[in-house]
Every structure is written in structure tokens, then in C-alpha cells.
Amino acid sequence: MDKLDYCQYLLSSQNNYTITNLAEHLPKISHDQINRYLKNEKITPKTLWLNVKEYIEVDENGYLVFDDTVLDKNHSQKIELVRKQYSGNTHSVVRGIGVVNCIYVNSKTGKFWVIDYRIYAPEQDGKTKLDHVEDILRNIVFHKKLPFKRVLMDSWYATQRLMALIDNWEKIYYCPLKKNRLVDETGGKEKSQRIDSLEWSELDVKQGKLIKIKKFPSQKKVKLFRVTISTNRTEYIATNELTASDIKQVKSTCSYRWKIEEFHRELKQLTGIQSCQCRKSRIQRNHIACAILVWNFLKRLAYLTKCTVYKIKHQSLYSYLTKELKKPSLVMNLV
């Protein structure tokens, strides 16, 4: 039993991803043997990088996109990594395992690859989600040395600390600010006010506003754009790209953020990443690592064959149905 065997199981299984199910389908391999392997193995984000770096189509103008997702464990009471946390998917506090992810997007082709991740477990390592994003960024810049130009992230990460870090590396960020964030557009002549109380002229809407975010250095200005997502949803996008003056271009840039939502959806629907019920944190970490490796493999095949990851994952079911229709193992009878 090794990680390739376990990944093959997550790749091949369609709806049951438990260790018990795996043991039932592997001759001479018991549940205890699988459990022991997963408890003693240590699969890390470095394994992901080693398996993806050769397939990335590098782009000097590429994007890094950060976001976190929560693996649903609402009915699990004794899994070590499970904690209460806010889920953007359900817009509520749930019990689950938090995973901070980073994808790399080629701006020319729109293709993307997951290149790093971190498990959010402050009780074990004392790190916040911001710490994890900073660690990933530093690793990309100084170790992976992957070229990129822009960083896209959620409002949760729109902090002075991270934005200044990206600034110092002469990279560009685009991130939404919460509507209650205090900003100043008067150059210090008036008090800071909530973003959602700003007045927007027609020109402001098209070209953005130059503002200072409260508690940021006095000389540090950013461009703020009001972006209408739907009839009842508006985002306020901040960027250090002060030459940005076209709302259409800003919308186009920010649209790459949805790539990571695509990744999260496919990861949860196709790899069984949420299905492991083992209690030990090491087993959970290894299961999550293998699930991400499986998604990486599916996405690589999808780009090669120009198929969707869903078609590739479910193609064995097509073959099975064709076989059953020709020669059924269960023969239907009617009176």
C-alpha cells in the first residue's frame, strides 16, 4: 500500500471513498493496514508541487489566486482537525476542516493549476489564514520562483500586511474590501467614512477613485472601483495598480478569481476530499493531499483531451452501462 494506490482509489471510486470500502475491494489488504499506512505516511504540499511543476504553462503576466474552503464535517465530533469556522459557501459557521489554497492562472489561455495549499489548524501550528497566505507567497517568490504579475484574493486577506508585502515585491493586487471598511478620498481634509457611504459620479464608476484606507501609511493610496456583480450585490475592489482606469478591464481581471471557485467545486465533487471519517489529523492531512493530487491529475488529462474533468472521472460509468446494457448482470423480468 502506498500513496499511488490510495490516489488510484480516490480517482476510480465514484461515490464511496471510505477506507472500509477500499479494503473490501483490495485482496489481501485489510482496513487496519490502510489505516496504519495513512497514519504513518506524511504527504505534504511539496508532493503536490513536484507533481504539477512540469505541466504549468508559465506566464510572466500570470495570476496567483488565493482563497480558502471548508471541508464539511458537521456530523463529525471527534476528528482532530475539525473546528467551528465561517464557510463562505453556506454563509454560516460550520464544523469543518479549513484549507487555504493557491492556484496559478495563465492570463493568455485561462488554464489554471493548484500549486500550493495549507491546512488551517491554529491549535496545532499557531498560524492564521493570513500567515498561511504569506508563507505560500514567500515560497512562490523565493523557492518556486514562478513568474506572476497579479495577485487576486478575497476580502478576508485584504490587510495592510499582505498588501504591503505584495507592493514591496512590485506585484499588483486586486481584492474586494468590505463595505464597512473606512477610507478617505479627501486627502485628509475630512474624516474617513464607510465605503458604502461614498458618492460615485459617472466618471468615478468608469475610472475608479483614488483613496487611502484607514490605518494604512498616509502616503499609500489605492484605486477603488465599484463593481456590480448582480442586482443585489456590489463589490468594492481595491488595487495598487494606480494606472487602472477602465471598469471593464477591472471586471475582466477580477473574473479570474472564479477559477478558484471552480477548483473548489470540482475538488469536492470528484475526489471524495470531504469523505474521510478517520479521527487522526495525520490521516486527514494525507487524505486531503491525495485528493488534491487526484484533482491535479484529472485537470491535466482534461487539458490534454479537451474534455471536462467530470467526463474523465465518470467515463468508467459509461463503459459499465454499455456493458450492462449488452449483457446485464441483473436481468429484468416483467409479468
Side-chain angles (χ1 to χ4, degrees), residues 172-198:
I172 296 167
Y173 57 74
Y174 280 78
C175 52
L177 301 180
K178 292 182 179 179
K179 62 183 180 181
N180 62 352
R181 198 80 176 262
L182 297 178
V183 301
D184 173 30
E185 63 171 332
T186 67
K189 296 176 183 177
E190 297 179 16
K191 288 184 177 181
S192 297
Q193 62 184 111
R194 287 171 55 116
I195 284 179
D196 59 359
S197 67
L198 294 175

Side-chain angles (χ1 to χ4, degrees), residues 10-28:
L10 298 184
L11 176 65
S12 302
S13 186
Q14 298 293 333
N15 53 26
N16 187 337
Y17 300 92
T18 64
I19 291 178
T20 302
N21 186 53
L22 173 57
E24 289 174 352
H25 289 82
L26 278 181
K28 299 180 181 181

Side-chain angles (χ1 to χ4, degrees), residues 12 17 32 50 87 113 123 127 190 221 246 250 296:
S12 302
Y17 300 92
D32 289 345
L50 292 174
S87 169
W113 301 263
E123 294 84 1
K127 292 191 175 185
E190 297 179 16
K221 301 293 196 326
D246 182 355
V250 171
N296 173 57

